Amino acid sequence: MDETTTTTTTTTVYGRDAELVSLKQAYRRSIFDQYDAAIIFGEQGVGKSSLAHEFIKYAKLGDEAHNSKGCVLLSGKFDNILRAQSSQQFSPILSAFNKYCEWLSPTEERSSLAKKVSCGLMLSLGQEACALVNVIPNLAKVIGAKKPMNATNESDSIVDAKKMLQHLLSQFADVICRSHDAPLLFFMDNLQWADTASITLLKQIMLVSSRSSSSSSSDSSNKSLENDRKNNGQSFFLGCHRNNNKMGNENDDLWKIDNLGLNVTKIEIDCLDKEAVNLMISNRMKMLPLLTSSLANIVYRKTEGNPSFVIQLMTALEKGGSLCMCPIRSRWIWDEKKIEDYELGAKDVVSYLAASLGSMSSDVLAALCTLSCFGSCSDRSLVELENELGSSHPEQNSKWLSGPLDRAVAEGVLNKKDGQYQFVNDRVKDSAYDLIDPEERCLHHFNYGLALCSVAERNDDDGLFLMAVGQINLGGPKAADDGGERSSAANYNLVAGKKARTASDFFSAYWFYDYGISYLEVGHWTNDYDLSLALYDGAAECALVIGEHAVLSILTEQIMHYAKCIEDKLHIFDISVRILMHRSDMSAAIACGIEVLSKLGEDFPKEVTPDVAIHFIEETNEMLDDMTNEKLIDHKAMSDSNKIMAMNFLTRLFEAFFMIRPSDQPIVVLKMVQLSVKHGMSPMSPLAFALYGSFLASMGNIHEGYRYARIAKALLEKIGSRRVAGAVIAYSTQLMAYAEPVQSVINFHIEGGKAAMKSGDTMYADLNAFFYDSCSYWSGKKLRDVMRQLNFTLGLTKQSNHVLMLVSSFIFGAIERVIFR
């Protein structure tokens, strides 16, 4: 049908003038005054997304009257199926960044902007920017970096990979914001389906953006303020959230961020009133509101003003003949009695659409069932599936999937945009999914996954590969025909787990490892030892990170029982110490660590007496007597794997002793120094010498302490691990402040905070921030600037929720109240 014979739908929103004004006011506050965010609440189908997109049109066009340029948009949408499948953490947010990078990919028009973003990323993150290519493939086109295969060993060099990735992404958002001379608008739809980690990331992005805003708003000159705002970036966060969804506390926290110093404008919308429904219908039918009021009254009663229901009902009435175009009168006419008697068969738009599936043809239903296996919307995977299965079955129509889906679009149960199909509602998708027999459903998932794995491997496409393995796992072990398919599925999950870990997505990695274990057959430790060890070891590492401690105990018991040698058990010993520390069982952690050290050939005194301490000090002094600064910095690298592991365990012991036996800490430090001098420098050695310098300074020898602080920094640059970088800089800089002007060393703490966050080490990131704030005060910086920075630090500390740092924040907060009262 052409436009003259069908009612038309516009993108205009109706009855939302006040809400649109509120959004515009919040937006202008955020880009001209103080950072603001807005979240639109409402029940299903009331037009939250439509209101958001209407506002986005305004923001993209700009507002000359308020001197606002058109915004740069980053947008994404959360999905309940993707969340349930644990396909990839941060997926909608990563997709938003990836689409931005695709848009930014160097062209003649945007080459200078792409270069600016690339330089900003390298300046802010250094080589860590390349790590983002793992999760944002199109970023490689911007920074000219190839995708790193496996840049680091997460368990050795990263404290918390999830927090590391959150830091990198929030810094990327800040770089984007600062690189454009226009505001950045970050829009996220369906926040009710957001996972905890994504919410934490969004809050961190808001915090970083608010810092940019507040840093510029402190200038009293209006002209200077405008320039500063342009240089420091302008941004605004907008989200949509469904009201009638049963959710956990994690989602409620997103807008409860007043304690972080951020403001959120909350906009609640409901169904339309009669006047708005009439305006909507009159515009759709291109008739005066006076002529459509009687029809609008009936439609309002049946739909209760739900905009989505209004559209679906009007479409149904048109198809049923109750509403039609009269060629003689050249206008729409309708039969009010028929419309009054029209049985909806449902109380809401979603139930109405779900019930309408039964009237569709078999091929359309089959295509909808296939689409439902992939979530609420399709992506390139559906195209690949159609091509792969179409080529393997020549007798099949090449459009066996897209053709029927196009007819479903015409029926109103799907939307299609940019070649992608999307269910109009999750309940429609669920209804299509429920039409598949449970046993056949498993086979569908399994076979779809195997087919797509083949495509992904041929094209070296990690994103498609992870999605394909997710499909295999939705089929499960029962869908595998024989041992060969089970083994293939287990190996696919092992590879997927490693890829997810490389991308710092430990939730998905655990999911893959766990499913991989489920495909192993009886006797797998004997018949497939290497695969079994790799799956159990990977699952244990991820279980620790994501807090699956009950499962972790089972995994570690299996490895300790079946591992063939001490080398295969070392990683599990390390995990055991970390889990004991996480449970605050420091005594058990220390005992386990000392036991492992003994197995590695390094005895540790069970009791530290004064005589033992003196012996360690004298032995260390003797070993360092003829070691100049140059000799220590250029000392050989540690090559003995057992000694390297011993240094790792000593680092863990230092943290545990700090909590319950701080008087024994120096022995750990002295032991680390001795191992470094005797066997060579390991990635943990910079921390050993930074702590040794602190120990000497605490004994009154500031000069020697300062010397070893500088050696520690030099070693860090040469062979240090990201895992200890934040700690090394924190301790060494504090020592250097005793020997050098505070003003000359204070910025090292900024470097330390960044270094800590690059490994996800929030404790030492916060500690460096607190040290920086205190040094700022003593160095004579303006009190207003010190207070602003301290408030930002306190906000980050509350978000990281680390016990020691929360205590510190309480102390610093008290100091702030005394200084600035």
Side-chain angles (χ1 to χ4, degrees):
M1 295 183 178
D2 59 36
E3 192 173 294
T4 61
T5 57
T6 60
T7 57
T8 58
T9 304
T10 71
T11 55
T12 305
V13 295
Y14 302 92
R16 308 297 189 204
D17 292 346
E19 291 84 355
L20 199 55
V21 168
S22 296
L23 279 174
K24 292 177 181 179
Q25 290 174 342
Y27 178 66
R28 290 195 289 268
R29 279 197 304 271
S30 189
I31 63 175
F32 291 120
D33 185 14
Q34 186 175 6
Y35 184 82
D36 206 335
I39 299 180
I40 304 171
F41 297 90
E43 295 187 0
Q44 200 169 29
V46 296
K48 301 181 293 296
S49 298
S50 297
L51 174 60
H53 287 293
E54 186 71 14
F55 164 75
I56 288 170
K57 286 196 296 185
Y58 156 81
K60 290 179 74 173
L61 288 173
D63 188 342
E64 291 185 8
H66 293 90
N67 196 28
S68 170
K69 295 185 178 182
C71 72
V72 177
L73 177 66
L74 267 70
S75 64
K77 183 176 183 179
F78 290 97
D79 186 284
N80 64 326
I81 292 294
L82 292 180
R83 178 181 178 179
Q85 293 181 5
S86 302
S87 60
Q88 191 178 49
Q89 209 170 33
F90 310 135
S91 181
I93 303 174
L94 293 173
S95 175
F97 281 108
N98 203 43
K99 286 186 287 187
Y100 168 79
C101 290
E102 184 178 17
W103 169 82
L104 187 64
S105 299
T107 60
E108 186 174 346
E109 179 185 359
R110 302 192 185 100
S111 59
S112 60
L113 179 58
K115 185 176 180 180
K116 189 175 181 181
V117 171
S118 177
C119 292
L121 269 176
M122 298 308 293
L123 183 64
S124 178
L125 301 177
Q127 288 302 312
E128 301 303 323
C130 298
L132 283 174
V133 177
N134 279 317
V135 291
I136 307 174
N138 286 327
L139 179 60
K141 303 175 185 176
V142 178
I143 64 177
K146 291 184 179 180
K147 179 180 172 181
M149 293 301 294
N150 195 354
T152 59
N153 185 330
E154 293 86 357
S155 61
D156 290 337
S157 63
I158 297 177
V159 176
D160 189 324
K162 181 171 63 176
K163 290 178 180 176
M164 177 202 74
L165 183 57
Q166 289 170 344
H167 166 70
L168 295 179
L169 290 172
S170 64
Q171 291 302 308
F172 188 15
D174 190 46
V175 168
I176 294 172
C177 187
R178 292 172 183 271
S179 298
H180 291 267
D181 61 352
L184 171 65
L185 173 56
F186 211 114
F187 171 58
M188 284 287 125
D189 205 353
N190 278 357
L191 285 173
Q192 72 274 4
W193 301 124
D195 57 274
T196 306
S198 294
I199 289 174
T200 303
L201 171 57
L202 291 174
K203 289 163 69 175
Q204 189 162 336
I205 289 174
M206 291 183 205
L207 272 171
V208 172
S209 299
S210 70
R211 178 176 60 179
S212 296
S213 301
S214 61
S215 65
S216 59
S217 62
S218 60
D219 197 311
S220 58
S221 166
N222 289 337
K223 185 175 181 180
S224 176
L225 171 62
E226 184 177 343
N227 291 334
D228 276 352
R229 290 292 286 167
K230 182 180 290 188
N231 294 333
N232 285 294
Q234 313 160 2
S235 63
F236 181 66
F237 175 82
L238 173 65
C240 291
H241 188 289
R242 190 187 304 169
N243 262 354
N244 62 341
N245 183 64
K246 295 180 180 179
M247 303 173 340
N249 294 332
E250 58 192 52
N251 303 74
D252 298 332
D253 286 340
L254 180 58
W255 50 90
K256 293 179 180 177
I257 52 179
D258 306 87
N259 63 331
L260 300 182
L262 301 178
N263 181 57
V264 175
T265 298
K266 304 166 190 175
I267 297 176
E268 186 93 26
I269 64 173
D270 206 340
C271 292
L272 302 176
D273 58 22
K274 284 184 181 180
E275 184 179 350
V277 170
N278 188 27
L279 186 62
M280 182 179 180
I281 291 175
S282 69
N283 185 64
R284 179 183 173 96
M285 301 174 66
K286 298 182 179 179
M287 296 175 63
L288 293 173
L290 181 65
L291 299 177
T292 60
S293 61
S294 61
L295 172 62
N297 287 337
I298 301 173
V299 171
Y300 176 79
R301 286 198 301 272
K302 288 183 172 292
T303 64
E304 297 182 348
N306 185 293
S308 297
F309 210 170
V310 170
I311 294 171
Q312 294 300 325
L313 179 57
M314 292 289 289
T315 301
L317 293 176
E318 183 184 341
K319 288 181 179 179
S322 301
L323 173 65
C324 61
M325 170 65 70
C326 177
I328 298 175
R329 302 174 62 182
S330 296
R331 52 158 285 185
W332 289 92
I333 59 173
W334 53 90
D335 188 326
E336 291 188 8
K337 186 175 185 310
K338 283 186 177 181
I339 295 174
E340 285 277 15
D341 295 339
Y342 182 79
E343 292 291 336
L344 294 176
K347 295 182 179 180
D348 55 64
V349 63
V350 184
S351 301
Y352 176 78
L353 285 171
S356 67
L357 293 179
S359 61
M360 296 182 181
S361 62
S362 59
D363 60 334
V364 172
L365 269 181
L368 289 173
C369 290
T370 299
L371 177 60
S372 70
C373 291
F374 292 85
S376 296
C377 63
S378 69
D379 55 14
R380 56 200 167 84
S381 61
L382 210 64
V383 177
E384 297 288 1
L385 181 67
E386 184 172 54
N387 294 338
E388 180 72 7
L389 294 183
S391 61
S392 60
H393 299 83
E395 73 282 358
Q396 200 166 28
N397 187 336
S398 61
K399 298 293 184 181
W400 65 274
L401 192 55
S402 57
L405 289 180
D406 285 333
R407 298 208 300 278
V409 172
E411 292 288 338
V413 296
L414 294 181
N415 294 321
K416 186 178 182 181
K417 183 179 180 181
D418 299 329
Q420 292 189 349
Y421 299 94
Q422 181 175 10
F423 283 98
V424 294
N425 195 278
D426 287 340
R427 202 180 300 178
V428 180
K429 171 207 65 188
D430 294 339
S431 298
Y433 192 68
D434 290 339
L435 290 174
I436 312 172
D437 180 79
E439 290 187 7
E440 290 185 5
R441 188 186 301 162
C442 293
L443 290 173
H444 284 320
H445 282 301
F446 196 84
N447 292 327
Y448 293 158
L450 289 177
L452 290 173
C453 274
S454 299
V455 178
E457 288 183 319
R458 287 200 303 269
N459 299 335
D460 192 24
D461 189 333
D462 284 356
L464 182 61
F465 182 81
L466 294 177
M467 190 283 303
V469 179
Q471 284 290 318
I472 290 174
N473 293 339
L474 287 175
K478 291 182 179 179
D481 284 339
D482 51 37
E485 283 194 345
R486 292 175 72 97
S487 179
S488 295
N491 276 288
Y492 277 140
N493 274 280
L494 176 61
V495 175
K498 290 179 179 179
K499 289 180 183 293
R501 282 180 65 186
T502 300
S504 302
D505 183 358
F506 278 67
F507 283 92
S508 295
Y510 171 75
W511 190 71
F512 288 125
Y513 287 129
D514 188 51
Y515 260 103
I517 291 172
S518 73
Y519 289 103
L520 295 174
E521 296 187 279
V522 177
H524 58 86
W525 280 107
T526 301
N527 301 326
D528 212 341
Y529 176 80
D530 291 338
L531 176 61
S532 300
L533 180 64
L535 285 169
Y536 273 85
D537 196 61
E541 171 71 21
C542 297
L544 173 67
V545 174
I546 67 176
E548 291 285 349
H549 298 153
V551 176
L552 181 59
S553 299
I554 299 172
L555 294 169
T556 54
E557 286 175 7
Q558 284 280 300
I559 296 175
M560 296 301 287
H561 181 73
Y562 289 105
K564 294 178 179 179
C565 57
I566 183 64
E567 287 77 15
D568 288 347
K569 296 180 181 181
L570 284 176
H571 188 216
I572 294 303
F573 276 125
D574 182 52
I575 289 176
S576 298
V577 171
R578 289 159 66 186
I579 189 62
L580 289 169
M581 291 176 63
H582 182 83
R583 293 172 179 169
S584 298
D585 192 350
M586 299 301 167
S587 296
I590 290 170
C592 182
I594 291 174
E595 179 187 353
V596 176
L597 285 173
S598 178
K599 293 179 183 292
L600 293 171
E602 295 297 331
D603 293 328
F604 193 89
K606 293 182 179 180
E607 183 180 357
V608 179
T609 63
D611 289 340
V612 170
I614 291 171
H615 171 72
F616 267 89
I617 292 171
E618 290 176 346
E619 192 174 23
T620 305
N621 289 338
E622 183 179 343
M623 296 177 71
L624 290 171
D625 268 347
D626 64 341
M627 299 293 287
T628 63
N629 291 6
E630 291 74 18
K631 282 186 178 181
L632 283 171
I633 294 170
D634 295 332
H635 197 43
K636 65 181 181 180
M638 188 177 289
S639 57
D640 188 328
S641 59
N642 282 353
K643 302 307 175 186
I644 294 173
M645 284 301 300
M647 289 289 286
N648 288 335
F649 278 99
L650 284 167
T651 303
R652 302 282 185 212
L653 282 180
F654 173 81
E655 298 167 3
F657 276 126
F658 177 80
M659 300 295 294
I660 62 171
R661 286 160 55 184
S663 60
D664 292 354
Q665 274 187 300
I667 304 302
V668 179
V669 175
L670 294 169
K671 185 75 173 175
M672 292 175 72
V673 171
Q674 290 176 13
L675 282 174
S676 299
V677 175
K678 186 175 181 180
H679 298 282
M681 299 296 179
S682 87
M684 301 296 113
S685 295
L687 178 61
F689 284 97
L691 294 172
Y692 183 59
S694 297
F695 170 66
L696 293 176
S698 68
M699 301 292 289
N701 195 342
I702 299 292
H703 178 74
E704 277 296 286
Y706 172 65
R707 176 199 169 202
Y708 284 106
R710 293 183 64 85
I711 290 172
K713 288 205 68 180
L715 286 171
L716 181 65
E717 294 176 6
K718 186 178 180 182
I719 49 94
S721 165
R722 286 188 297 174
R723 172 179 150 193
V724 298
V728 171
I729 295 174
Y731 292 126
S732 60
T733 303
Q734 281 295 289
L735 279 173
M736 292 166 67
Y738 282 95
E740 300 178 25
V742 176
Q743 294 88 341
S744 68
V745 300
I746 183 174
N747 285 333
F748 286 134
H749 281 306
I750 296 179
E751 178 188 335
K754 291 180 178 179
M757 284 310 302
K758 286 176 183 177
S759 69
D761 188 351
T762 54
M763 188 181 102
Y764 280 105
D766 291 345
L767 186 62
N768 272 290
F770 280 129
F771 282 160
Y772 175 83
D773 296 341
S774 63
C775 288
S776 295
Y777 174 72
W778 295 113
S779 67
K781 285 199 172 186
K782 292 181 180 180
L783 293 183
R784 181 187 297 274
D785 293 338
V786 175
M787 181 173 68
R788 175 184 55 77
Q789 181 60 35
L790 182 56
N791 281 330
F792 177 74
T793 301
L794 293 171
L796 285 179
T797 302
K798 290 173 183 176
Q799 184 178 344
S800 65
N801 202 32
H802 194 284
V803 176
L804 291 178
M805 291 299 101
L806 286 174
V807 173
S808 299
S809 69
F810 176 79
I811 297 171
F812 274 84
I815 293 172
E816 176 199 12
R817 288 190 292 273
V818 171
I819 294 175
F820 303 111
R821 63 185 177 183

